[in-house]
Amino acid sequence: AELEILKILIARAGGKDPVLGEVIRYCAIPRRFNAEIIGVLRQAPDDRETNEDLFARIVNFSFARKRSDGTYTYTDSTRDLLIQEWRSSDKREQFDQLNQHLVDFYKGLFEKILRLEPDLTDTATILQRANPARHVQVTSIFQRRLVAPLLEAIYHKSLISAEACYKFFERLYQEQEERGRLIVCESLLTGTRDCLERLPDDTDKDRWLKWLRYWKARLKREFRDERRS
């Protein structure tokens, strides 16, 4: 019944503006959205005026909730209902494509943050000598900022499939491990496990959750070796 009421509400909005009705459904997919995310989902990032207008209209719906970071999300029940609809056979292909657009967006955001690393490296030696505790704090803050978009990318890979999520995680983990970013590796591991555990039981998630045990043991050993060095 709730889904039918929601469909009627979206149909009314779409009757007046088909793009609005479409974007209302789009915005159920990300865990947070703003005008920029709407642009990504519409594949129209440069159409800022329309994206801003759609965002302003969508946040006025009763099921939209403002987050502490200024972005918005839908109520859990609304998201669950719409994502269930997205997973239907006739919408699945588009659902996967939209999630991949978000994966690409967040991977790009990660790359932008990564470009700040040379500046941190340039000051690292001086800061480490002057204030070792502050150096550790700054490095930790940078790594946590670095991992945030990767966690969103992993989430959207999980909506595509459990296998896609795991293989994406594995590649990211190895990249960060090679660079010695164990804090990032730990966050990636925790985030991937959480995403996989939330998937429906018919997604073969248990197979990939078992593989995460290997990476957990590997990370534990690496943290131990780092403390010894």
Side-chain angles (χ1 to χ4, degrees):
E2 189 174 353
L3 178 58
E4 293 307 314
I5 293 172
L6 188 58
K7 284 181 177 179
I8 292 170
L9 185 64
I10 295 173
R12 285 178 179 172
K16 298 177 181 177
D17 184 345
V19 175
L20 177 61
E22 186 177 58
V23 173
I24 290 172
R25 284 189 164 88
Y26 287 173
C27 289
I29 299 173
R31 293 191 285 195
R32 55 180 63 83
F33 68 88
N34 54 18
E36 184 177 23
I37 293 295
I38 288 174
V40 172
L41 292 165
R42 294 180 61 231
Q43 296 185 68
D46 296 330
D47 189 5
R48 295 183 180 179
E49 184 176 350
T50 302
N51 296 332
E52 292 282 358
D53 177 64
L54 288 165
F55 176 65
R57 293 161 72 186
I58 289 172
V59 300
N60 284 324
F61 283 97
S62 61
F63 48 77
R65 296 287 185 271
K66 190 173 184 178
R67 294 168 48 91
S68 59
D69 62 359
T71 62
Y72 277 74
T73 188
Y74 289 169
T75 60
D76 290 342
S77 60
T78 300
R79 283 198 72 224
D80 290 345
L81 288 169
L82 289 176
I83 287 178
Q84 182 181 353
E85 185 182 44
W86 273 117
R87 285 189 166 121
S88 62
S89 58
D90 61 322
K91 295 183 180 295
R92 184 75 217 200
E93 184 177 355
Q94 186 185 16
F95 181 56
D96 290 348
Q97 290 172 351
L98 290 168
N99 276 296
Q100 188 57 50
H101 292 328
L102 290 165
V103 170
D104 295 340
F105 166 75
Y106 282 113
K107 197 69 165 52
L109 192 57
F110 163 78
E111 297 294 342
K112 288 180 182 178
I113 298 171
L114 193 59
R115 294 190 196 112
L116 300 174
E117 190 171 38
D119 294 334
L120 180 63
T121 302
D122 290 343
T123 60
T125 303
I126 298 173
L127 186 60
Q128 191 169 22
R129 290 174 180 171
N131 191 336
R134 178 59 178 163
H135 173 259
V136 171
Q137 183 183 33
V138 169
T139 301
S140 177
I141 291 171
F142 175 75
Q143 291 196 24
R144 294 191 188 284
R145 184 182 175 193
L146 195 64
V147 79
L150 294 181
L151 294 177
E152 294 306 309
I154 284 173
Y155 169 72
H156 289 291
K157 275 292 186 181
S158 76
L159 293 184
I160 295 173
S161 75
E163 181 177 4
C165 177
Y166 173 80
K167 291 186 175 179
F168 185 63
F169 153 77
E170 189 175 54
R171 185 165 68 252
L172 291 177
Y173 186 103
Q174 290 172 335
E175 289 173 356
Q176 300 310 307
E177 181 185 55
E178 287 176 4
R179 291 165 175 76
R181 301 188 188 116
L182 297 186
I183 293 175
V184 174
C185 290
E186 184 177 36
S187 296
L188 292 175
L189 181 61
T190 301
T192 302
R193 185 182 64 242
D194 290 347
C195 286
L196 289 175
E197 287 177 343
R198 292 174 184 273
L199 290 177
D201 293 333
D202 61 354
T203 55
D204 195 29
K205 64 180 182 179
D206 290 340
R207 174 187 176 189
W208 305 108
L209 282 167
K210 288 177 182 177
W211 272 106
L212 291 183
R213 297 174 189 170
Y214 160 76
W215 296 101
K216 182 178 180 180
R218 177 165 164 162
L219 181 62
K220 185 177 181 181
R221 184 178 67 249
E222 289 172 330
F223 271 128
R224 186 170 61 246
D225 292 344
E226 184 180 59
R227 285 194 295 268
R228 287 174 179 173
S229 61

